[in-house]
Amino acid sequence: MVQYFRYHQLKKGEHHHAGEDEMLSLMSATSSGYFRRSRPKLFSLLILSLLSCCLILGAHLFCSPSAFSLLYSFGVESDGVTANVNAKASLCSSISNGTICCDRSSIRSDVCVMKGDVRTNSASSSIFLYTSKSTDAVIKNVSSSVDKDEELQHEKVKPYTRKWETSVMDTIDELDLIVKTENFRNNHHCDVKHDVPAVFFSTGGYTGNVYHEFNDGLLPLYITSQHFNKKVVFVTLEYHDWWIMKYGDILSHLSDYPAIDFSGDKRTHCFPEAIVGLRIHDELTVDPSLMQGNKSVVDFRNVLDRAYLPRVQSLLKEEERLAQEKLKQKVHSSSSEIRKEVQDATLKRPKLVILSRNGSRAITNEDLLVKMAEEIGFRVEVVRPERTTELARIYGALNSSEVMIGVHGAAMTHFLFMRPGSVFIQVIPLGTEWAADAYYGEPARKLGLKYVGYQILPRESSLYDKYDRNDPVLRDPESVSEKGWQYTKSIYLDNQNVRLNLGRFQKRLLRAYSYTIAKMNRRSHL
């Protein structure tokens, strides 16, 4: 399961305060006479004018540019008129040559943009920007341990999208972004000169978990780089050969150039521009209101289509060849067996994929679920994703399916492989209700899937045989979650299996079947 416990405790707190603010606004609107009597209009206007002047002048005279950027960012993200002004233009979207602009306003990630003569130095974990500006320019964020005559600006960034989670960010390599005058570049020659921008990011942290690989890495990489139209170089910290190999098909549709191992490649790479860090919107999604051309998560899925369909088509041809050979070997089989195989191959039945789990959160009566689905009329395929499973095979199975069933967990990330309009049924074990909807249910709806959350009853959980019927573990999982992430995880995620009430679950399957048959009939009449 994803590691978002503390972050979403914070988010719930933010929502709580937002509700209080709304109540205060309502009170102000409904009892405005009281406020008018207690605060004369002229006095209120005077106070507001003074505050406005303080904010404007103070930001320019006393604040660093990065602090002013932070102040501006809150204005952009707030509700009302200000939020609608240039909403798609992120901070640092337009900067002048020879400068660094850092947006640190997000709780999820810091993003810095460097423009001009950008040069790497992996030995010191640094990226330098050389400028023609004079050394008496304003010096910002300079450490006391460096020579201020050399550095015009010094920023530090950990390019990973879990800024709020200190424990994992402590494991991420930090980069020093340094601006110097151009006379210092004479001793820093370019070994490789690129004529396109670079995007620097880390594949450390929770990489190895498919949810985090998409949510923390690939989707933010798409959000940050897609406007370059593949004319961009990816520079990776905590570089992993297996990650490059696993996601090479996707990376090749985001960049025309091979990825660079920042620590392993000791050469000086020079770029006209660099983005350090990745932008991220929300769980497994792309917010069109923040993207050029209103790009959405459907556009990201189109990238997956282009990346995997050639390989999927190759796999299908191989399967067809093997099926024909198998049929030839059964020439001596009874005619009834051959007729059944031909009927199964030609009859259009909606395909249902079950993403099967081993260990915790497994469906213990999965065989009976398969039998029931086949009796309803589905053609069932059971897929057991492993770390070594080729993604194109999983993509091929889900892209050709009408319905997917799976128990809440990282493998549910594969809903991204389904076509919009398909049905995604997520089995929700005890204690995972909120997370199941936040991390997979809501993102699936944004992709255009028909999402069904099947929340199990206590009797359908293996915990029912371990705890007293009145135990909070069964009756009040939310109170158990208040004891902390590790305690909650040890009960609901690591030690819980599911035995479906097939009579209850059948109702969802019948509705899914009716929906898919109607959709297939509409397609056949087009």
Side-chain angles (χ1 to χ4, degrees):
M1 182 176 172
V2 293
Q3 312 291 325
Y4 259 63
F5 182 72
R6 285 169 297 188
Y7 170 63
H8 284 290
Q9 277 188 325
L10 176 60
K11 286 190 76 173
K12 285 180 179 178
E14 289 173 349
H15 293 162
H16 173 71
H17 292 306
E20 290 176 348
D21 291 341
E22 289 171 5
M23 184 62 70
L24 287 172
S25 298
L26 182 62
M27 288 170 61
S28 176
T30 56
S31 56
S32 56
Y34 169 80
F35 288 105
R36 277 198 295 270
R37 285 192 296 271
S38 60
R39 291 185 182 179
K41 186 180 294 184
L42 182 60
F43 180 73
S44 299
L45 288 173
L46 179 60
I47 293 296
L48 286 172
S49 300
L50 287 172
L51 284 172
S52 300
C53 291
C54 289
L55 284 172
I56 295 169
L57 294 175
H60 283 287
L61 295 176
F62 305 111
C63 297
S64 68
S66 59
F68 182 70
S69 294
L70 184 62
L71 176 65
Y72 172 74
S73 72
F74 286 129
V76 172
E77 292 183 357
S78 65
D79 293 331
V81 177
T82 310
N84 294 324
V85 178
N86 202 18
K88 292 184 182 179
S90 60
L91 287 179
C92 308
S93 60
S94 178
I95 66 171
S96 59
N97 262 1
T99 57
I100 299 177
C101 175
C102 290
D103 179 3
R104 302 186 186 273
S105 62
S106 171
I107 193 173
R108 292 171 176 263
S109 67
D110 290 333
V111 179
C112 292
V113 180
M114 311 172 74
K115 195 166 185 180
D117 186 355
V118 180
R119 306 189 182 196
T120 63
N121 187 293
S122 60
S124 63
S125 296
S126 302
I127 308 172
F128 290 92
L129 175 62
Y130 295 101
T131 179
S132 59
K133 292 180 180 179
S134 63
T135 54
D136 59 355
V138 178
I139 302 173
K140 300 176 292 183
N141 301 328
V142 180
S143 169
S144 59
S145 63
V146 298
D147 186 348
K148 293 186 180 182
D149 291 334
E150 293 184 9
E151 296 186 1
L152 303 181
Q153 187 176 354
H154 191 154
E155 303 281 352
K156 291 180 178 289
V157 179
K158 292 187 175 185
Y160 191 59
T161 56
R162 301 188 74 80
K163 170 183 165 183
W164 58 272
E165 192 170 355
T166 305
S167 60
V168 72
M169 291 303 289
D170 287 343
T171 70
I172 302 298
D173 291 346
E174 186 173 62
L175 289 174
D176 288 292
L177 315 183
I178 302 170
V179 179
K180 289 189 173 185
T181 55
E182 58 187 3
N183 55 297
F184 286 98
R185 70 184 172 190
N186 295 331
N187 297 323
H188 193 184
H189 301 290
C190 294
D191 296 317
V192 184
K193 195 165 187 177
H194 304 267
D195 58 1
V196 297
V199 172
F200 291 75
F201 65 99
S202 172
T203 54
Y206 292 124
T207 298
N209 175 295
V210 68
Y211 167 83
H212 292 288
E213 286 167 3
F214 275 88
N215 187 70
D216 304 343
L218 293 170
L219 272 158
L221 187 60
Y222 170 78
I223 289 168
T224 306
S225 68
Q226 59 84 31
H227 66 284
F228 289 123
N229 295 316
K230 299 175 66 176
K231 303 304 177 185
V232 60
V233 175
F234 297 145
V235 184
T236 309
L237 284 72
E238 284 105 356
Y239 183 99
H240 303 287
D241 286 326
W242 66 263
W243 187 88
I244 296 294
M245 184 175 296
K246 181 177 181 179
Y247 294 111
D249 291 331
I250 299 175
L251 297 176
S252 67
H253 283 78
L254 298 178
S255 170
D256 285 333
Y257 306 89
I260 295 172
D261 177 357
F262 180 77
S263 300
D265 190 338
K266 302 301 182 183
R267 297 175 297 175
T268 296
H269 290 266
C270 300
F271 302 95
E273 182 180 348
I275 299 177
V276 184
L278 301 178
R279 297 186 178 95
I280 180 171
H281 293 163
D282 208 340
E283 318 306 328
L284 294 174
T285 197
V286 178
D287 186 345
S289 69
L290 302 175
M291 297 290 288
Q292 293 182 14
N294 295 316
K295 294 290 178 66
S296 71
V297 68
V298 175
D299 294 289
F300 174 76
R301 193 197 172 279
N302 291 339
V303 171
L304 301 183
D305 243 358
R306 296 193 295 272
Y308 289 125
L309 278 184
R311 174 62 176 153
V312 168
Q313 290 169 352
S314 173
L315 290 171
L316 286 175
K317 287 180 181 178
E318 178 64 17
E319 288 176 6
E320 287 174 5
R321 185 185 65 78
L322 292 174
Q324 288 175 356
E325 289 182 0
K326 186 178 178 182
L327 195 59
K328 288 178 183 178
Q329 293 172 1
K330 291 190 174 182
V331 171
H332 302 294
S333 299
S334 66
S335 58
S336 61
E337 288 179 349
I338 295 176
R339 272 200 307 273
K340 185 178 184 303
E341 287 192 10
V342 171
Q343 185 181 27
D344 286 344
T346 56
L347 186 64
K348 280 289 184 180
R349 293 189 296 161
K351 179 180 176 182
L352 181 150
V353 170
I354 298 174
L355 285 185
S356 181
R357 292 183 63 96
N358 294 319
S360 179
R361 283 168 284 152
I363 298 176
T364 58
N365 56 344
E366 187 178 278
D367 55 339
L368 297 178
L369 171 62
V370 171
K371 183 180 179 181
M372 182 178 73
E374 289 176 338
E375 289 174 351
I376 288 173
F378 285 107
R379 179 165 48 96
V380 180
E381 179 178 350
V382 178
V383 176
R384 295 180 175 85
E386 304 288 346
R387 282 194 177 187
T388 56
T389 305
E390 185 182 1
L391 278 181
R393 292 186 179 277
I394 302 175
Y395 190 88
L398 291 173
N399 184 62
S400 61
S401 71
E402 301 292 342
V403 181
M404 179 182 87
I405 297 174
V407 181
H408 172 67
M412 295 302 94
T413 304
H414 294 114
F415 78 78
L416 290 167
F417 295 179
M418 302 184 75
R419 292 167 296 172
S422 302
V423 179
F424 168 28
I425 303 176
Q426 181 177 202
V427 177
I428 304 173
L430 297 181
T432 66
E433 295 86 352
W434 183 85
D437 189 70
Y439 304 143
Y440 303 112
E442 183 59 26
R445 287 188 283 265
K446 290 177 180 177
L447 181 60
L449 302 184
K450 301 298 181 183
Y451 172 72
V452 178
Y454 179 82
Q455 188 169 327
I456 71 169
L457 299 175
R459 284 180 177 274
E460 294 175 273
S461 170
S462 61
L463 299 176
Y464 192 77
D465 298 324
K466 299 178 182 179
Y467 293 88
D468 183 82
R469 304 297 178 262
N470 294 318
D471 195 293
V473 167
L474 299 177
R475 296 189 61 186
D476 189 13
E478 190 170 342
S479 69
V480 176
S481 69
E482 294 174 358
K483 295 184 179 181
W485 162 249
Q486 289 301 330
Y487 183 76
T488 304
K489 177 176 179 291
S490 67
I491 296 174
Y492 295 119
L493 301 183
D494 298 340
N495 289 288
Q496 179 177 199
N497 286 324
V498 174
R499 183 173 182 82
L500 291 174
N501 178 334
L502 295 179
R504 180 171 177 252
F505 194 78
Q506 184 184 47
K507 298 174 183 177
R508 275 74 171 178
L509 273 189
L510 288 170
R511 286 199 291 267
Y513 181 79
S514 299
Y515 167 79
T516 55
I517 288 296
K519 187 177 69 169
M520 291 167 68
N521 288 337
R522 286 195 301 270
R523 277 205 304 258
S524 66
H525 287 92
L526 291 179

